Amino acid sequence: MSILIKPIITEKATADSELKNCYWFSVNKRANKVEIKKAVEAAYGVSVEKVRTINVRPDRSTKFTKTGIQHGKTNAVKKAIVQLAEGEMIDLYSNM
């Protein structure tokens, strides 16, 4: 089971990494905070202070087309916000 799926790079996540030393990751839905902490420390070689998780529900949509009503939904994801110790940092742009 792969814990870390990919880093999330948005304006909000970039601002958090610069100001609060927090990094956002998309993680496996079944992973807990202890597993996420160990995975980040092993992958990037940093010390993690705090891990916060968010379960994002799927968005449902309805489209009215010529052939009838089409229903759909996006996938549910789990996000983790990882706060690193003072003086630590992750360079996400060189690892891509």
Side-chain angles (χ1 to χ4, degrees):
M1 175 171 89
S2 177
I3 304 292
L4 298 176
I5 298 173
K6 64 180 180 179
I8 298 173
I9 301 173
T10 59
E11 289 183 29
K12 187 174 183 177
T14 305
D16 275 355
S17 66
E18 292 172 356
L19 301 175
K20 301 177 187 172
N21 207 19
C22 294
Y23 295 88
W24 294 40
F25 294 95
S26 178
V27 296
N28 191 324
K29 286 186 249 183
R30 296 176 184 257
N32 59 28
K33 292 182 180 186
V34 176
E35 293 172 341
I36 294 168
K37 179 179 178 179
K38 289 179 183 177
V40 170
E41 287 176 345
Y44 296 102
V46 294
S47 59
V48 176
E49 279 188 358
K50 184 195 274 188
V51 177
R52 294 174 289 173
T53 58
I54 305 166
N55 285 313
V56 181
R57 63 175 171 78
D59 289 331
R60 300 188 183 279
S61 64
T62 304
K63 296 177 185 172
F64 298 97
T65 63
K66 290 180 183 178
T67 58
I69 299 174
Q70 302 293 322
H71 298 285
K73 67 175 185 137
T74 60
N75 293 330
V77 292
K78 186 172 189 174
K79 297 178 184 179
I81 303 171
V82 177
Q83 184 172 1
L84 302 182
E86 191 70 32
E88 301 271 339
M89 84 181 261
I90 297 174
D91 189 11
L92 296 175
Y93 300 104
S94 68
N95 292 337
M96 289 183 155

